[in-house]
Amino acid sequence: MRTNQPIRCYILMVVIVLINVLYISKFFQPQSNEQSSDNDLVPFVTAKSETEANDVITETEVAKKFKENNSATGELNPTHRYKTVHLIDKDSCINTSIIPKSWCLDMDDTPQHVGVDREPPSSIRHYNHEGYEKCLGGKTVVFVGDSRVRYQFMHLASFLVSKRFMRCQDFHSLKGKSGLLPDPECYLIDHKHHKQMSTESWNSWYKESTAMLESSGENSTKQQDSLCDCYRPQPFKPSQTYENRFIKRSTPHGEVNLIYLQNFENIIKMNSEYPPFLSYFPTSSSSKRCDAGECGQGNRTNAFEGNLNATLENILPLLNATHAFVNLGWDHLYNLKAHSEFSCVISEFVQNHPGIEVNLISHISSNFGRVKRKTPPNGFAKALKCASDGVIDRNGIANNVPTNWYWDNQHVLSIINKEFNHQLIETICPLEN
């Protein structure tokens, strides 16, 4: 018996080791090597196995827990380097007393347009400030249109310089937000308190808004420069009103150039002392460039005057444009039929200039006030004679929103302009799936 004792001890040790291995393996299951190609953008909601089905909580409850856990830091929506995942509070999507149909609130209580005729998603992604800079770096984006195009341009230029989306009285009109003051940047897009602007006040606005769109970088160098070939007479005369804006911004991703060319009545006029006919920073002491608000007749020489077709052919190449968002001007003069015909001009231009992407940008629907504009039944793009991918339809975003999201019956405030610019940037740089 003594000779078998070492064998029995050996067998007992082996049995103990096997038991320990089996016990530990229950807690250290091998993980899958498969990862999402965009896993830093995927919401924190994880899938449950069938055996855990009874323990599943709704995405809205998860989002609420996330909001509670992160309220101290203020980081309510997960942020990727170039994108932010806006986690949707689904309860808000069905409460039209808080937010209109096709909109939801995210965890930061910011309205997000989620689209119509679809189940609200658990999250929605948009580029953040660095994503905007990365997308626009090395590009020249030209806007041509009336005041509704101008204010979208101003909103975009403001976001680049302030690094935040402005919140105006439309945002503060939301339930629970009353009493808050609009951000100072709202002055760039909201003339509600300037409805009776005189010549002096309009031209003062040109000066002040131009200065607001500038910023300094390191070593007191300009990070963002702003020019405005601008003047408005009193009484207002479209043919003698000028507003051509030029923004130049330095970023780690290359230089950004944003340009707005005023177009009320399908006529664009360009000053000989401004780009593209003179350098952004003229070196000649003989330059007679007028200051913002002072570029009226007698203080300017027009080097170009032409309609939108001539502007595409003659001005966009001189500006080294990479992208353009254009319309013919006031919609009571140039209706959907006129834009339908012009879509074929754009199609031909793009074929002849493959390095310039041109998008026809729609007017904005409005269901209130003296002027009512209805969205085309099948959408703006399908109503065009030469419809293509080069269309920005702003109607769906602006349709059926509260009246206080406008500052009059034509011009929208901060919430909708933010969505317009998300739409525009994601047209230039589509989000990866």
Side-chain angles (χ1 to χ4, degrees):
M1 296 294 292
R2 289 181 178 178
T3 58
N4 294 331
Q5 186 172 359
I7 296 174
R8 288 199 298 273
C9 290
Y10 176 78
I11 293 172
L12 181 60
M13 290 176 64
V14 170
V15 170
I16 291 171
V17 169
L18 290 173
I19 291 173
N20 283 329
V21 169
L22 291 172
Y23 180 79
I24 291 172
S25 67
K26 292 181 179 181
F27 296 93
F28 295 89
Q29 297 294 332
Q31 301 296 316
S32 169
N33 291 327
E34 296 182 1
Q35 295 182 350
S36 168
S37 60
D38 205 11
N39 58 359
D40 51 352
L41 297 180
V42 176
F44 52 82
V45 180
T46 57
K48 299 285 185 178
S49 66
E50 292 182 3
T51 58
E52 297 176 301
N54 294 331
D55 297 326
V56 173
I57 60 177
T58 67
E59 291 167 340
T60 300
E61 289 172 332
V62 173
K64 288 179 179 177
K65 289 180 181 293
F66 181 86
K67 184 174 182 179
E68 292 170 359
N69 294 337
N70 291 272
S71 59
T73 64
E75 296 178 357
L76 305 181
N77 293 304
T79 300
H80 176 263
R81 182 177 179 186
Y82 299 119
K83 309 179 189 76
T84 296
V85 178
H86 300 271
L87 302 166
I88 298 302
D89 178 0
K90 287 196 173 182
D91 289 343
S92 70
C93 306
I94 58 176
N95 190 343
T96 54
S97 66
I98 298 176
I99 206 82
K101 186 179 179 181
S102 78
W103 292 76
C104 301
L105 294 177
D106 66 13
M107 291 299 103
D108 194 31
D109 290 332
T110 297
Q112 302 289 340
H113 184 255
V114 297
V116 296
D117 300 326
R118 58 174 292 192
E119 176 70 18
S122 59
S123 65
I124 191 167
R125 297 181 303 159
H126 290 303
Y127 287 110
N128 54 29
H129 184 269
E130 190 167 356
Y132 268 57
E133 287 195 331
K134 185 174 187 296
C135 173
L136 295 173
K139 297 181 178 67
T140 296
V141 181
V142 181
F143 295 72
V144 185
D146 63 5
S147 57
R148 289 160 292 184
V149 175
R150 171 220 290 148
Y151 289 129
Q152 182 174 348
F153 166 90
M154 299 292 277
H155 183 276
L156 174 58
S158 172
F159 176 58
L160 291 179
V161 75
S162 68
K163 302 183 181 181
R164 68 176 184 178
F165 286 114
M166 64 179 74
R167 292 184 171 187
C168 303
Q169 58 265 37
D170 53 343
F171 182 86
H172 300 314
S173 69
L174 298 173
K175 189 174 182 180
K177 301 291 183 183
S178 61
L180 298 176
L181 294 176
D183 291 333
E185 304 96 280
C186 296
Y187 181 61
L188 296 170
I189 68 166
D190 174 17
H191 285 178
K192 186 174 183 179
H193 54 290
H194 292 304
K195 282 187 176 179
Q196 303 300 323
M197 289 181 80
S198 65
T199 303
E200 181 180 353
S201 57
W202 262 105
N203 291 320
S204 295
W205 180 77
Y206 290 142
K207 292 178 184 291
E208 293 162 4
S209 59
T210 299
M212 289 176 69
L213 295 177
E214 294 184 339
S215 67
S216 298
E218 297 179 359
N219 302 320
S220 298
T221 58
K222 284 286 185 69
Q223 184 178 18
Q224 182 162 309
D225 281 279
S226 174
L227 298 176
C228 186
D229 169 26
C230 301
Y231 176 77
R232 178 174 293 221
Q234 177 69 19
F236 171 60
K237 296 180 180 179
S239 62
Q240 297 177 20
T241 298
Y242 307 93
E243 186 176 356
N244 301 317
R245 292 180 179 266
F246 306 85
I247 300 291
K248 187 180 292 290
R249 180 174 180 81
S250 299
T251 80
H253 311 285
E255 187 176 84
V256 176
N257 284 279
L258 301 180
I259 298 168
Y260 166 73
L261 304 180
Q262 174 187 283
N263 185 22
F264 292 155
E265 300 175 315
N266 195 20
I267 189 74
I268 296 93
K269 300 176 183 179
M270 307 286 292
N271 193 330
S272 63
E273 295 292 323
Y274 277 81
F277 304 104
L278 191 66
S279 170
Y280 197 99
F281 304 107
T283 57
S284 173
S285 59
S286 62
S287 173
K288 298 179 181 179
R289 178 177 292 171
C290 51
D291 292 330
E294 300 177 7
C295 298
Q297 290 184 332
N299 200 23
R300 66 182 295 120
T301 299
N302 289 331
F304 170 82
E305 184 172 336
N307 62 17
L308 183 53
N309 190 4
T311 302
L312 296 182
E313 292 289 347
N314 298 290
I315 298 301
L316 292 194
L318 289 179
L319 290 171
N320 295 316
T322 58
H323 299 78
F325 298 88
V326 307
N327 68 33
L328 289 167
W330 287 333
D331 52 354
H332 69 277
L333 299 177
Y334 304 98
N335 57 17
L336 181 61
K337 181 179 180 181
H339 281 91
S340 177
E341 295 291 333
F342 194 76
S343 66
C344 298
V345 174
I346 291 179
S347 180
E348 182 179 354
F349 174 84
V350 170
Q351 291 178 9
N352 296 329
H353 300 81
I356 306 176
E357 296 182 18
V358 180
N359 290 263
L360 188 59
I361 189 168
S362 77
H363 290 297
I364 302 170
S365 61
S366 175
N367 297 321
F368 60 92
R370 183 170 50 86
V371 180
K372 294 181 173 61
R373 303 177 187 84
K374 298 297 183 181
T375 303
N378 297 317
F380 182 64
K382 292 184 178 179
L384 301 178
K385 186 175 181 180
C386 297
S388 64
D389 293 335
V391 174
I392 296 288
D393 187 353
R394 300 186 293 178
N395 288 294
I397 294 173
N399 199 30
N400 296 318
V401 300
T403 58
N404 54 20
W405 286 17
Y406 285 68
W407 61 262
D408 65 8
N409 61 7
Q410 301 185 65
H411 301 99
V412 299
L413 285 161
S414 56
I415 294 173
I416 298 180
N417 268 311
K418 172 178 67 69
E419 292 294 331
F420 284 168
N421 279 320
H422 282 325
Q423 178 189 37
L424 184 142
I425 293 297
E426 289 160 20
T427 297
I428 298 174
C429 301
L431 287 164
E432 297 178 359
N433 294 326

